[in-house]
Amino acid sequence: MGLVVQKYGGSSVADAEGIKRVAKRIVDAKKNGHQVVVVVSAMGDTTDELIDLAGQVSPIPAGREFDMLLTAGERISMALLAMAIKNLGHEAQSFTGSQAGVITDSVHNKARIIDVTPGRIRTALDEGNIAIVAGFQGVSQDKKDITTLGRGGSDTTAVALAAALEAEVCEIYTDVDGVFTADPRVVAKARKIDWISFEDMLELASSGSKVLLHRCVEYARRYNIPIHVRSSFSGLQGTWVSNEPQGDRKVEQAIISGVAHDTSEAKITVVGVPDKPGEAATIFRAIADNQINIDMIVQNVSAASTGLTDISFTLPKTEGRKAIDALEKTKPTIGFESLRYDDQIAKISLVGAGMKTNPGVTAGFFEALSDAGVNIELISTSEIRISVVTRADEVTEAVRAVHTAFGLDSDSDEAVVYGGTGR
Amino acid sequence: MGLVVQKYGGSSVADAEGIKRVAKRIVDAKKNGHQVVVVVSAMGDTTDELIDLAGQVSPIPAGREFDMLLTAGERISMALLAMAIKNLGHEAQSFTGSQAGVITDSVHNKARIIDVTPGRIRTALDEGNIAIVAGFQGVSQDKKDITTLGRGGSDTTAVALAAALEAEVCEIYTDVDGVFTADPRVVAKARKIDWISFEDMLELASSGSKVLLHRCVEYARRYNIPIHVRSSFSGLQGTWVSNEPQGDRKVEQAIISGVAHDTSEAKITVVGVPDKPGEAATIFRAIADNQINIDMIVQNVSAASTGLTDISFTLPKTEGRKAIDALEKTKPTIGFESLRYDDQIAKISLVGAGMKTNPGVTAGFFEALSDAGVNIELISTSEIRISVVTRADEVTEAVRAVHTAFGLDSDSDEAVVYGGTGR
């Protein structure tokens, strides 16, 4: 038996009872002969409470101090978890991100891991300890300041430690049973996925699936660390994310892995852009200079009579105001006619490596939407994904229709193979 | 203007309003041209809440993890304080005990400072920052584990940093106006002391005065760091504790500095001890082997007829059970008759270096108690202190009587000089 890294989120350690339940699960893994490293998030609402306190003393808290503040959260949960494990008669030691050797850049509040030097963790393991590590945090390489990794940071800590320690698996414990073929809150018949490739998981994550963040999956793929997403409540097998199905588990790659949706984006249309070289570049340079990430881009065929075209793109709603302000400033340079802002949109994506070799998936996708009476506003594709933008109020209907059409519903036996005219 | 170290206790930073008020006070010191280092305790009840959480997951939390847990408290307060200062337009950086170079031994929960290497604090100051340091915590020299300093730890952190940084003064901000000639809750006429020597302050601290702990004063005396105890609410001059009165303040050493009382002790009497060499040693070895600190010791003159004597001593009530158990085990060896335990006692102490050269202080002390009808059970003296043990329910009357007799009441003009028969 080798080394496993387990990660527990805030909802799993929300109170003393949760911490004791998690401690038992960790001790079970140890009893099974594994060396165990545990990455833990802050308890339940702790982080929100700390953010609230910060807001009371300063409207715009400084990055360095904000990180110092927030990292108190994991310090509490990891110490309590180590105590609970020792109370069960097993040795445990807790380590901050800094003590665990999680070295980051200096970008406070959203630092990136640049190295992991887990010497103290290795020593603690060799001495028979269970090592408990604070998720979400590290120490900056240059200034030795405490940093936090931003959204999904604890998952990334877990994968990074698993890579540095050459773990067998990184187990991500959460409050759901695994990754599903669609959001179970939208599609009651969504199925738990037993195994999914890194590539498909990356596409799902960037298309709105929230179980694992893109950043964490990307790290796992780079170092080829299998992730096992599972429930900290049920103890059932969850979803394996890896290059190949694990061990003797014969899981065939599904043609379609799942349907993701995202209602967090807005659409901006720049109306009446002169159709000449460089105009699009000027627009997107203005956006990029404001650190705004955009998602889909579509440019209409220009009307021959006017020589003007429209350019639409999607971006996080939270960046909408900033983007509009940036574009208004370019208006004198570009001379477009107007801006339209629309935050009542949804993106629906179909993901599956099988679509590379199975013609007709795109056609089937559009047919399913059409049959459900859903109008398509924008389309974008990658090799293993098709995404469309629809009205926000049609998202539930659209996701269910596509989920059923591709045989993903839990009462159907197998995924359907589509033939046809190609995508 | 030089460097000042300011220390703020938990009651001064109990909520966001408190933190903002303290931030203003710190900025004022900076504006007056000082380099400012601030040591801060955990907010209000944070430490108690963390201890409660620990109790919920483990009946006897491990020392290392308990320290990891508790140090989250100062992490929160120091980050918030730094944010609040930055919000006032001044640069501030917070540092953990470890980052501030507070090096301790490895005795978790009550570590002792063995070195202070404040390189990062010095750099932060040189770059124009106000440095905020977590009180109560350090890092162990050998294992690099996080430690806490135990009771009064934040005051000790402040004095230790003041010594390492060669500060002009260590200001201890608290919720009272300074050190008083007696506990103002007991003696309404108690006066604030303007200046007191280290020696007298040490005696007051070990006699029950709670404003400063013995450990912190001892550290300040060793490195000759003047302490200024003052209110974080009023901004008034408080009490200076130093070798000599500061600057041009002409404060004469009072004959008597104050009256302290302590109701936290109990008395154990070992009855019928054979009066031969080695018996007392066996008794107190048994106590010492259980890490119990004792205070006063009195041995009666033995009765010639029996060759037996009684030995009484006082100790913290919290250690009573342990001491009785330890002594019961020595009974077969020593052959004493019985043990008496009495926790309804009070200790009243009169402190003042002037008593060395002013005969009659002891007599005046006993006369005052006698006039008040207070019976004396035990007596102990040092060069600058007299202590007696009385019944607990007589403590208020006794303290008031002594305070008045030595002219310490706030409506009297001067301390009275006693002449007489010597002590």
Side-chain angles (χ1 to χ4, degrees):
Chain A
M1 295 282 198
L3 190 156
V4 301
V5 174
Q6 300 186 332
K7 180 262 173 176
Y8 294 91
S11 60
S12 303
V13 293
D15 53 23
E17 286 317 303
I19 288 170
K20 287 194 266 190
R21 189 186 62 241
V22 165
K24 282 209 191 79
R25 189 173 289 281
I26 292 166
V27 165
D28 285 345
K30 173 81 175 170
K31 282 184 185 163
N32 285 337
H34 288 102
Q35 286 192 313
V36 187
V37 175
V38 176
V39 173
V40 66
S41 302
M43 293 170 72
D45 302 325
T46 308
T47 304
D48 288 339
E49 287 164 16
L50 292 173
I51 291 171
D52 180 57
L53 265 176
Q56 288 178 44
V57 301
S58 175
I60 309 158
R64 179 185 186 279
E65 302 307 322
F66 201 60
D67 283 351
M68 188 67 96
L69 178 72
L70 292 189
T71 51
E74 294 85 39
R75 196 175 192 88
I76 294 169
S77 56
M78 75 185 196
L80 291 172
L81 188 52
M83 287 178 195
I85 291 170
K86 289 171 84 81
N87 197 42
L88 296 175
H90 288 258
E91 288 306 311
Q93 288 193 334
S94 65
F95 298 91
T96 63
S98 172
Q99 290 176 335
V102 179
I103 315 292
T104 73
D105 60 23
S106 292
V107 184
H108 284 291
N109 311 158
K110 47 181 182 179
R112 298 197 68 84
I113 295 175
I114 53 182
D115 197 8
V116 180
T117 55
R120 291 189 68 171
I121 304 298
R122 184 68 82 184
T123 303
L125 292 173
D126 291 346
E127 290 172 359
N129 288 287
I130 294 164
I132 315 291
V133 179
F136 179 65
Q137 55 177 254
V139 61
S140 68
Q141 190 167 43
D142 51 353
K143 294 190 181 170
K144 311 295 177 214
D145 280 334
I146 303 303
T147 53
T148 64
L149 307 178
R151 213 167 141 244
S154 290
D155 288 3
T156 309
T157 302
V159 170
L161 272 172
L165 293 164
E166 298 177 343
E168 275 181 3
V169 57
C170 180
E171 297 184 331
I172 306 278
Y173 285 89
T174 177
D175 51 5
V176 295
D177 283 333
V179 182
F180 280 73
T181 51
D183 184 339
R185 287 166 301 185
V186 171
V187 182
K189 291 181 170 181
R191 272 193 292 116
K192 191 189 75 189
I193 299 172
D194 292 328
W195 171 76
I196 185 171
S197 68
F198 285 128
E199 284 67 26
D200 280 15
M201 192 65 235
L202 283 172
E203 290 285 3
L204 282 180
S206 52
S207 302
S209 169
K210 295 188 177 57
V211 185
L212 289 178
L213 287 186
H214 190 278
R215 172 182 186 189
C216 151
V217 181
E218 180 58 45
Y219 206 111
R221 183 176 68 146
R222 195 180 331 141
Y223 293 96
N224 194 21
I225 300 295
I227 296 178
H228 186 186
V229 184
R230 56 196 306 196
S231 165
S232 70
F233 297 87
S234 75
L236 298 173
Q237 283 282 318
T239 300
W240 284 84
V241 187
S242 61
N243 268 333
E244 299 292 337
Q246 296 300 297
D248 55 356
R249 308 175 80 243
K250 298 280 177 263
V251 183
E252 210 171 338
Q253 169 107 39
I255 292 167
I256 298 301
S257 287
V259 185
H261 70 278
D262 189 351
T263 53
S264 70
E265 295 195 340
K267 182 175 73 171
I268 289 177
T269 303
V270 190
V271 179
V273 181
D275 190 7
K276 56 185 185 190
E279 299 298 4
T282 309
I283 287 172
F284 291 110
R285 170 54 55 200
I287 299 292
D289 285 349
N290 284 276
Q291 313 293 328
I292 300 166
N293 286 316
I294 57 169
D295 181 18
M296 300 163 75
I297 305 176
V298 172
Q299 177 169 344
N300 290 352
V301 177
S302 67
S305 57
T306 61
L308 296 178
T309 186
D310 299 342
I311 295 178
S312 296
F313 61 93
T314 62
L315 77 174
K317 281 178 190 170
T318 49
E319 307 278 23
R321 184 73 260 158
K322 202 159 60 161
I324 293 288
D325 289 347
L327 289 172
E328 287 291 359
K329 286 188 193 140
T330 66
K331 195 169 178 179
T333 325
I334 300 179
F336 59 80
E337 288 174 355
S338 62
L339 294 174
R340 274 193 230 132
Y341 182 74
D342 178 359
D343 63 5
Q344 293 303 306
I345 63 162
K347 184 173 74 167
I348 293 122
S349 303
L350 186 69
V351 171
M355 68 175 70
K356 280 192 284 199
T357 50
N358 283 271
V361 168
T362 305
F365 183 56
F366 292 160
E367 281 160 16
L369 292 171
S370 165
D371 290 350
V374 174
N375 193 45
I376 298 171
E377 301 186 10
L378 296 178
I379 302 170
S380 101
T381 62
S382 81
E383 215 179 10
I384 60 172
R385 175 186 52 79
I386 319 167
S387 301
V388 296
V389 165
T390 69
R391 288 289 88 203
D393 58 10
E394 293 178 326
V395 64
T396 301
E397 210 174 347
V399 172
R400 285 179 188 162
V402 173
H403 196 267
T404 302
F406 282 86
L408 297 172
D409 290 357
S410 58
D411 54 355
S412 69
D413 287 340
E414 284 295 331
V416 179
V417 178
Y418 279 77
T421 57
R423 353 182 347 212
Chain B
M1 295 281 200
L3 191 155
V4 300
V5 174
Q6 301 187 331
K7 180 260 172 178
Y8 293 91
S11 59
S12 302
V13 292
D15 53 22
E17 286 316 304
I19 288 170
K20 286 193 265 189
R21 190 186 61 241
V22 164
K24 281 209 191 79
R25 189 172 289 281
I26 294 167
V27 165
D28 285 345
K30 173 80 175 170
K31 281 184 186 163
N32 284 339
H34 289 101
Q35 286 192 314
V36 187
V37 175
V38 176
V39 174
V40 66
S41 303
M43 293 170 72
D45 302 325
T46 309
T47 303
D48 289 339
E49 287 165 14
L50 293 173
I51 291 172
D52 179 59
L53 265 176
Q56 289 178 43
V57 301
S58 174
I60 311 159
R64 180 186 186 279
E65 302 307 322
F66 201 61
D67 282 353
M68 187 68 96
L69 178 71
L70 292 189
T71 50
E74 293 84 39
R75 197 175 191 87
I76 294 169
S77 57
M78 74 188 197
L80 291 171
L81 187 52
M83 287 177 195
I85 291 170
K86 289 172 83 82
N87 196 42
L88 296 175
H90 289 258
E91 287 307 311
Q93 289 194 334
S94 65
F95 298 91
T96 64
S98 172
Q99 291 176 336
V102 179
I103 315 293
T104 73
D105 60 23
S106 292
V107 184
H108 284 291
N109 310 159
K110 47 180 182 180
R112 296 198 70 84
I113 296 175
I114 53 183
D115 197 10
V116 180
T117 54
R120 290 188 69 171
I121 304 297
R122 184 68 80 185
T123 303
L125 293 173
D126 290 347
E127 290 171 358
N129 289 286
I130 294 164
I132 316 291
V133 179
F136 179 66
Q137 57 178 253
V139 62
S140 68
Q141 191 169 43
D142 52 352
K143 295 190 180 167
K144 311 293 175 217
D145 281 334
I146 302 304
T147 53
T148 63
L149 306 179
R151 213 167 141 244
S154 290
D155 287 3
T156 309
T157 302
V159 171
L161 273 172
L165 294 164
E166 298 177 342
E168 274 181 7
V169 57
C170 179
E171 296 184 330
I172 307 278
Y173 284 90
T174 177
D175 49 7
V176 295
D177 283 333
V179 182
F180 281 73
T181 50
D183 183 339
R185 286 166 303 184
V186 171
V187 182
K189 291 182 170 180
R191 272 194 290 116
K192 191 189 73 187
I193 300 171
D194 291 329
W195 171 75
I196 185 171
S197 67
F198 285 129
E199 285 68 27
D200 280 15
M201 192 64 234
L202 282 172
E203 290 285 3
L204 282 180
S206 52
S207 302
S209 168
K210 294 188 177 57
V211 184
L212 288 178
L213 286 185
H214 189 278
R215 173 184 188 187
C216 150
V217 182
E218 180 57 46
Y219 206 112
R221 184 177 66 146
R222 195 180 330 143
Y223 292 97
N224 195 18
I225 299 296
I227 296 178
H228 187 187
V229 184
R230 55 196 306 195
S231 165
S232 69
F233 297 88
S234 75
L236 298 173
Q237 282 282 317
T239 300
W240 284 84
V241 187
S242 61
N243 269 332
E244 299 292 336
Q246 297 300 296
D248 55 355
R249 309 175 79 245
K250 297 279 177 264
V251 183
E252 210 171 340
Q253 169 109 35
I255 293 167
I256 300 301
S257 287
V259 185
H261 70 278
D262 188 351
T263 52
S264 70
E265 296 195 340
K267 181 175 72 170
I268 288 177
T269 304
V270 190
V271 179
V273 181
D275 191 6
K276 57 185 184 189
E279 300 296 5
T282 310
I283 287 170
F284 292 109
R285 170 55 56 202
I287 299 292
D289 286 349
N290 285 276
Q291 314 291 327
I292 300 166
N293 287 316
I294 59 171
D295 182 16
M296 299 164 77
I297 304 176
V298 172
Q299 178 169 344
N300 290 354
V301 176
S302 68
S305 57
T306 60
L308 296 177
T309 187
D310 299 341
I311 295 178
S312 295
F313 62 92
T314 62
L315 76 176
K317 279 178 192 171
T318 48
E319 307 279 21
R321 187 71 260 162
K322 204 159 59 162
I324 293 289
D325 289 347
L327 290 173
E328 287 290 359
K329 286 187 194 140
T330 66
K331 195 170 178 181
T333 325
I334 299 178
F336 59 79
E337 289 174 355
S338 61
L339 294 174
R340 275 195 228 129
Y341 182 74
D342 178 0
D343 63 5
Q344 294 302 307
I345 63 163
K347 184 173 74 168
I348 293 122
S349 304
L350 186 68
V351 171
M355 66 175 72
K356 280 192 284 197
T357 49
N358 282 272
V361 169
T362 305
F365 183 55
F366 292 160
E367 280 160 16
L369 291 173
S370 165
D371 290 349
V374 175
N375 193 44
I376 298 171
E377 302 185 10
L378 297 178
I379 301 171
S380 102
T381 61
S382 81
E383 214 179 12
I384 60 172
R385 174 184 52 79
I386 319 167
S387 300
V388 296
V389 165
T390 69
R391 290 290 87 200
D393 58 10
E394 294 179 326
V395 64
T396 300
E397 211 173 346
V399 171
R400 285 180 188 161
V402 173
H403 197 266
T404 302
F406 283 85
L408 298 171
D409 290 357
S410 59
D411 54 354
S412 68
D413 287 339
E414 281 297 328
V416 179
V417 178
Y418 279 78
T421 57
R423 21 188 313 224

